[in-house]
Amino acid sequence: MNKNILLCGVGGQGTVLASKLLAASAMEIGEEVHSAETIGMAQRGGSVTSHLRIGNECYSPLIPEGEADIMLAFEPSEAVRNLRYLKKSGVVIVNNVPVKPVTESLNETGYDGIQMINYLKEKVENVIEVDASELLAPLGSSKYFNVAVLGVLIGTNMLGIDEQTVVEQIKKRVPERFLEIDMKAFNMGKQIGEGYEAK
């Protein structure tokens, strides 16, 4: 298996944990994995980008532009910002709930993510739009999206790693006090992904 996955979001959304769970899952089944994070001002709500390359045809941890098979986008504008990495036949799984930057709060630009989602749909043939607020409302918080999006990915059958392997890594790496709710989030996401399952 050779697969390039780009994860992007803003600080505090759990992008890096999701990347580490995918990397550990791939290594568990014997795949070679290269990864790198570009974090910047993440602690202050800045951009976070994780490059994950699986397989023996990768010689660098950074995905070249136009070569990502899958983008997991935790925020609409971050999906657009990183769109140059996606290959023409690539898939974007995007949370349509925006995280408004400080500049928007100060200037009230009206940013609501809708234009970004529309732009993605114009430019990318395969967009899976997920409303994290609606999906995770029964759990009381959209902060579980980082595990839910893994469920979406598993449900699509595009990853090439079996569900049980990913679940075992979640159980190993998520603190026990969050595990039950994270597994609920994972299964909610999986149900969405199954609607887009690759045949």
Side-chain angles (χ1 to χ4, degrees):
M1 173 176 67
N2 288 284
K3 197 142 290 189
N4 292 320
I5 305 170
L6 186 91
L7 299 90
C8 56
V10 300
Q13 289 188 296
T15 311
V16 173
L17 175 60
S19 175
K20 290 186 184 306
L21 289 168
L22 286 176
S25 298
M27 288 188 287
E28 185 67 24
I29 62 170
E31 294 288 349
E32 188 173 333
V33 177
H34 298 272
S35 66
E37 280 90 34
T38 313
I39 295 175
M41 294 294 287
Q43 288 183 324
R44 297 182 184 275
S47 298
V48 179
T49 307
S50 293
H51 294 244
L52 185 61
R53 310 194 73 191
I54 302 170
N56 57 12
E57 293 182 5
C58 305
Y59 304 102
S60 158
L62 295 177
I63 300 170
E65 291 186 11
E67 300 223 356
D69 300 286
I70 299 166
M71 178 192 292
L72 303 182
F74 291 52
E75 203 280 337
S77 65
E78 293 301 322
V80 172
R81 189 193 313 275
N82 289 282
L83 197 55
R84 68 188 185 278
Y85 289 105
L86 193 71
K87 63 170 53 172
K88 198 160 190 175
S89 59
V91 178
V92 177
I93 301 174
V94 58
N95 174 16
N96 67 14
V97 179
V99 176
K100 297 187 178 184
V102 173
T103 50
E104 201 286 331
S105 302
L106 294 173
N107 297 321
E108 295 184 8
T109 63
Y111 171 60
D112 58 8
I114 293 173
Q115 284 183 308
M116 300 298 177
I117 295 293
N118 290 339
Y119 181 84
L120 286 173
K121 289 179 176 178
E122 284 175 17
K123 300 294 182 182
V124 181
E125 187 176 335
N126 301 304
V127 176
I128 300 173
E129 181 183 352
V130 182
D131 186 326
S133 293
E134 182 180 320
L135 174 67
L136 300 171
L139 304 183
S141 174
S142 59
K143 71 180 180 180
Y144 303 104
F145 182 76
N146 63 336
V147 176
V149 75
L150 299 184
V152 177
L153 180 57
I154 285 293
T156 65
N157 202 30
M158 295 174 191
L159 179 59
I161 301 173
D162 65 281
E163 177 183 349
Q164 193 53 43
T165 298
V166 176
V167 167
E168 285 304 316
Q169 292 306 315
I170 293 171
K171 289 179 178 177
K172 279 184 186 178
R173 295 168 185 272
V174 168
E176 190 174 346
R177 67 185 184 277
F178 298 125
L179 187 55
E180 182 180 355
I181 198 163
D182 270 325
M183 285 311 306
K184 287 180 181 177
F186 178 86
N187 287 319
M188 288 173 172
K190 185 182 160 214
Q191 287 183 341
I192 289 179
E194 285 170 348
Y196 298 88
E197 185 175 0
K199 306 301 182 189

